[in-house]
Amino acid sequence: MPKPPSGQRTLAVVFGAAVRPDGSASPALARRVGYAAAVAQADPNVDLFLSGGTGAYPPSEAAVMADLLAGAVSAERLILDEDSVDTLETVRAAAAHARANGYAMILTCTDAYHQPRVGMLFRLLGLASRPVRLAARGPRQLRLKMWLREGAAIPYDLVAGIGAAWRGRA
């Protein structure tokens, strides 16, 4: 795990995933939160930026993450972004928060197939980020489907990210 200079703060951005019809976390959301909790528990200088609005089922992805973290990470270290509904919105919100609050490092907590797009968007907005490595889970066919979906999403977000950076709306 990359470490910032001693005493400086790190923002770990936890990207949302589906909430189930009963309001519980999907396996992907629970896995991302579990890794984020481990990062925050290992270093008291890490704050967690929990991102994800309300999708098909309430509550918001960010609220579900905060509930999962109750008792594991203090509420003062949790930043809830319940407005972002896609990857670019999350990166823009996290970048603005990181700049406004002087974070020395950004970690990204999402599945491996999602990390290239996330890293690209942070770079387009002028910030470096480092991935938290999550173990691959789920059937091979599902993982392949997700990699293919990301391959299609990268060109779209490349254009959208360049536009956001050019307009200075990061």
Side-chain angles (χ1 to χ4, degrees):
M1 170 73 58
K3 293 264 187 199
S6 181
Q8 291 193 341
R9 294 168 52 218
T10 297
L11 186 65
V13 182
V14 188
F15 287 79
V19 171
R20 292 183 163 174
D22 67 357
S24 65
S26 64
L29 187 58
R31 182 175 57 258
R32 293 172 186 183
V33 170
Y35 277 84
V39 168
Q41 289 168 341
D43 185 346
N45 291 312
V46 174
D47 294 333
L48 301 180
F49 188 89
L50 311 175
S51 187
T54 302
Y57 306 105
S60 71
E61 296 164 9
V64 172
M65 288 189 254
D67 287 345
L68 290 173
L69 289 162
V73 179
S74 70
E76 298 83 36
R77 295 171 60 199
L78 304 180
I79 300 97
L80 273 67
D81 167 29
E82 296 182 281
D83 296 324
S84 296
V85 295
D86 64 26
T87 301
L88 178 57
E89 286 183 11
T90 295
V91 171
R92 289 177 60 200
H97 182 80
R99 284 188 179 107
N101 293 281
Y103 285 93
M105 180 182 286
I106 296 174
L107 299 176
T108 57
C109 193
T110 189
D111 290 287
Y113 61 79
H114 197 211
Q115 290 286 8
R117 182 161 52 124
V118 166
M120 172 193 73
L121 289 171
F122 272 112
R123 282 189 301 280
L124 284 171
L125 298 181
L127 295 172
S129 65
R130 296 188 185 196
V132 173
R133 303 282 181 201
L134 278 68
R137 295 280 192 252
R140 194 166 77 111
Q141 185 176 8
L142 176 61
R143 291 193 317 252
L144 177 61
K145 174 185 168 187
M146 298 311 287
W147 277 101
L148 291 172
R149 185 186 80 161
E150 283 299 304
I154 286 173
Y156 174 85
D157 267 355
L158 174 62
V159 172
I162 289 169
W166 184 71
R167 289 186 305 272
R169 294 175 35 191

